[in-house]
């Protein structure tokens, strides 16, 4: 009798175990079909297009985006749905898949709700909303951050909290410029997964425009980094595609340089790029910049072009401390030293500390430093361009404003 009971108990245990294993496999299958690391970027004209990148663990996935006008989607089975397909490639040396799509032919100044997936029922992402740029976008704000550079999930929670505060203070921000060093080790895909997961709420809505850092391109290789972003393919000859590019948003021309390789060839491209823009404002973003916490002489040649073409602002990273230069021209301070720079007297160079867990000891003050400190707190900047005025405001993650200056394209 007892033996029979034991057998029945064992059978019940086995049954539960088998059910559990089936359930686990079902859960894993459900999970593996879901897109992750979803991020939107500008690729073509921000008024009429928007690009997207995401990862999946699902073999032979299609890359599909569905979108419709408006801020909600009651149903995805209507003739209002517009569908775009893109490319799927295997992520370098992993069992993951990279999906990239660009939605084109969109209406300016219009909100769209979208989702991405493979087309299979359970493959769709959550829905999110993005807004195309208006025709005359002469008043807008963007957020600047640098060096999120984490390893663990907790590290990237700090980056997520930084963006949460940035959008609490600048809810109108139209996009983010990230000055490089997204993760500590670009080959550790888990780091990228955390990076996008902790910022999901923001980077599914507003473009995250990347700059290449020395932790993004390592020993001449940048494949994991560039696999995560779908950016303009208009960069310098000899640069890894996706590590140098430029784009226009409203009245501003943005040039994204790569301080990690191909410096000489980029100088030629930079000249052509700055020569060819007719936008009233020019902002350059680079990881290791010429006038940060200290000077970086390798890219000093670029400053002559910034002078020649009247670049307004250079956003930098790498130093993990805060620094802001006086307006500089020809390597010298110009202007009256006040916090308003009139009529392109010189270029201002900024490093907005770091948006992650790592802070460096503050370097020695240099002659060009107007503001220079280490507060050991994640920071971000909100930059508003409104007609002839650019206003730069830097905050820490607690919401304290720590620096502010203005650039004006008008004489006193
Ligand atoms: Fe860094």
């Amino acid at each position: 009798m007892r033996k029979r009971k034991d057998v029945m108990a064992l059978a019940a245990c086995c049954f539960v175990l088998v059910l559990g294993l089936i359930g686990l496999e079902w859960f894993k299958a459900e999970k593996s079909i879901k897109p992750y690391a979803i991020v939107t970027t500008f690729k073509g004209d921000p008024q009429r297009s928007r690009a997207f990148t995401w990862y999946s663990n699902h073999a032979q996935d299609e890359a599909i985006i569905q979108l419709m006008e408006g801020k909600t989607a009651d149903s995805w089975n209507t003739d209002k749905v517009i569908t775009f397909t893109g490319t799927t490639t295997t992520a370098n040396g992993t069992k993951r898949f990279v999906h990239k799509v660009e939605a084109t032919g969109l209406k300016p100044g219009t909100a769209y709700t979208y989702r991405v997936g493979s087309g299979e029922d359970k493959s769709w992402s959550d829905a999110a909303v993005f807004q195309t740029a208006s025709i005359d976008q002469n008043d807008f704000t963007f957020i600047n951050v640098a060096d999120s550079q984490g390893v663990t999930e907790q590290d990237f929670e700090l980056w997520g909290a930084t963006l949460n505060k940035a959008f609490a203070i600048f809810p109108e921000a139209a996009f983010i410029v990230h000055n490089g060093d997204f993760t500590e080790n670009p080959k550790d895909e888990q780091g990228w997964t955390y990076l996008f997961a902790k910022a999901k709420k923001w980077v599914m809505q507003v473009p995250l425009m990347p700059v290449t850092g020395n932790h993004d391109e390592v020993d001449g290789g940048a494949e994991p980094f560039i696999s995560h972003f779908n950016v303009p393919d208009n960069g310098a000859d000899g640069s890894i595609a996706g590590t140098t590019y430029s784009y226009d948003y409203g009245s501003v021309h943005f040039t994204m340089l790569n301080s990690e390789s191909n410096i000489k060839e980029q100088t030629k491209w930079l000249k052509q790029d700055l020569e060819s823009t007719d936008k009233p404002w020019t902002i350059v973003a680079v990881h290791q910049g010429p006038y940060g916490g200290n000077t970086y002489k390798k890219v000093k040649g670029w400053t002559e072009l910034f002078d020649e073409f009247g670049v307004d602002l250079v956003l930098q990273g790498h130093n993990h401390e805060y620094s802001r230069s006086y307006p500089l021209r020809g390597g010298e301070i110009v202007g009256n030293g006040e916090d308003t720079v009139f009529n392109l007297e010189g270029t201002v160079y900024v490093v907005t500390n770091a948006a992650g867990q790592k802070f460096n000891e503050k370097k020695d003050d240099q002659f060009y430093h107007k503001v220079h400190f280490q507060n050991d707190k994640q920071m971000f900047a909100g930059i508003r361009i409104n007609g002839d005025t650019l206003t730069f405001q830097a905050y820490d993650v607690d919401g304290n404003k720590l620096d502010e200056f203005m650039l004006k394209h008008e004489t006193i």
Side-chain angles (χ1 to χ4, degrees):
M1 189 66 182
R2 185 161 172 209
K3 211 171 174 184
R4 200 174 150 204
K5 261 189 180 169
D6 285 351
V7 170
M8 281 177 73
L10 189 66
C13 280
C14 286
F15 183 66
V16 168
L17 191 67
V18 168
L19 268 185
L21 284 172
I22 291 170
L24 187 66
E25 284 307 307
W26 176 81
F27 177 73
K28 274 161 64 183
E30 285 278 294
K31 210 177 157 201
S32 77
I33 207 169
K34 287 282 182 199
Y36 58 96
I38 306 166
V39 57
T40 181
T41 45
F42 298 130
K43 187 178 173 78
D45 178 0
Q47 294 172 0
R48 293 186 169 80
S49 64
R50 190 58 87 74
F52 302 85
T53 306
W54 69 95
Y55 264 49
S56 78
N57 296 343
H58 190 43
Q60 293 163 353
D61 244 349
E62 294 295 326
I64 297 175
I65 181 166
Q66 289 186 328
L67 51 90
M68 70 175 90
E69 275 184 53
K71 291 186 176 174
T72 52
D74 297 333
S75 165
W76 290 99
N77 291 315
T78 78
D79 55 10
K80 292 179 191 160
V81 173
I82 314 163
T83 301
F84 293 91
T85 56
T87 59
T88 293
T89 50
T90 307
N92 205 27
T94 72
K95 288 181 179 166
R96 299 165 191 243
F97 297 87
V98 182
H99 312 284
K100 294 192 177 188
V101 182
E102 186 179 14
T104 55
L106 305 177
K107 293 181 187 171
T110 304
Y112 288 89
T113 303
Y114 79 96
R115 63 179 187 171
V116 300
S118 68
E120 291 170 67
D121 273 356
K122 288 174 181 165
S123 76
W124 295 108
S125 68
D126 295 341
V129 177
F130 71 88
Q131 174 103 13
T132 53
S134 304
I135 292 282
D136 291 314
Q137 193 85 58
N138 287 323
D139 181 4
F140 69 93
T141 299
F142 71 97
I143 286 165
N144 180 224
V145 284
D147 295 273
S148 38
Q149 212 174 322
V151 177
T152 65
E153 186 169 7
Q154 286 92 324
D155 291 346
F156 287 104
E157 268 162 21
L158 299 170
W159 138 260
T162 308
L163 283 188
N164 289 346
K165 184 59 80 173
F167 280 95
I169 291 177
F170 300 104
E172 73 283 17
F175 56 96
I176 305 161
V177 170
H178 188 310
N179 267 76
D181 283 4
F182 284 77
T183 71
E184 177 68 24
N185 174 9
K187 290 183 180 167
D188 174 15
E189 202 46 58
Q190 189 58 52
W192 291 101
T193 304
Y194 291 140
L195 174 101
F196 292 111
K198 301 299 173 188
K200 184 179 171 186
K201 186 174 174 189
W202 310 116
V203 302
M204 278 183 74
Q205 290 183 57
V206 305
L208 175 62
M209 301 308 288
V211 171
T212 314
N214 56 306
H215 286 263
D216 304 313
E217 179 178 322
V218 180
D219 299 329
E223 181 58 34
F225 163 63
I226 60 165
S227 76
H228 279 289
F229 298 99
N230 195 1
V231 295
D233 187 16
N234 59 1
D237 285 346
S239 283
I240 300 167
T243 66
T244 60
Y245 61 94
S246 64
Y247 65 98
D248 292 337
Y249 189 91
S251 52
V252 184
H253 181 67
F254 288 86
T255 305
M256 316 301 254
L257 294 169
N258 176 0
S259 52
E260 307 314 307
S261 62
N262 197 35
I263 306 274
K264 228 176 149 185
E265 199 62 41
Q266 267 182 93
T267 311
K268 287 186 214 162
W269 173 76
L270 176 64
K271 188 170 195 304
Q272 287 164 6
D273 182 74
L274 295 177
E275 236 165 24
S276 59
T277 181
D278 57 359
K279 294 288 177 190
W281 293 93
T282 315
I283 296 176
V284 168
V286 60
H287 185 65
Q288 301 193 57
Y291 297 106
N294 54 1
T295 52
Y296 187 55
K297 298 208 165 50
K298 268 191 183 174
V299 297
K300 199 126 198 318
W302 293 348
T303 61
E304 290 167 20
L305 294 170
F306 301 160
D307 291 346
E308 185 182 343
F309 293 99
V311 169
D312 294 281
L313 178 65
V314 177
L315 303 171
Q316 309 165 113
H318 189 64
N319 293 128
H320 299 241
E321 60 180 32
Y322 187 87
S323 74
R324 192 241 296 182
S325 79
Y326 287 98
L328 301 172
R329 185 174 282 276
E332 290 180 4
I333 296 169
V334 289
N336 60 10
E338 298 299 321
D339 287 332
T340 302
V341 179
F342 285 96
N343 212 23
L344 272 168
E345 282 171 313
T347 305
V348 176
Y349 297 78
V350 188
V351 179
T352 306
N353 213 323
Q357 43 81 38
K358 187 186 166 195
F359 301 102
N360 289 344
E361 199 174 310
K362 187 192 142 198
K363 291 173 186 59
D364 291 343
D365 289 336
Q366 305 289 328
F367 76 92
Y368 57 81
H369 280 138
K370 166 79 177 170
V371 183
H372 189 202
F373 61 82
Q374 178 55 278
N375 56 331
D376 293 316
K377 286 249 166 101
Q378 290 79 33
M379 288 185 68
F380 59 88
I383 299 160
R384 179 180 177 195
I385 295 92
N386 182 12
D388 284 342
T389 304
L390 180 151
T391 310
F392 182 105
Q393 297 179 309
Y395 284 81
D396 71 14
V397 69
D398 297 329
N400 301 304
K401 184 157 69 177
L402 302 181
D403 192 23
E404 178 168 9
F405 63 91
M406 285 170 98
L407 309 180
K408 281 181 173 281
H409 278 183
E410 61 190 64
T411 44
I412 306 169

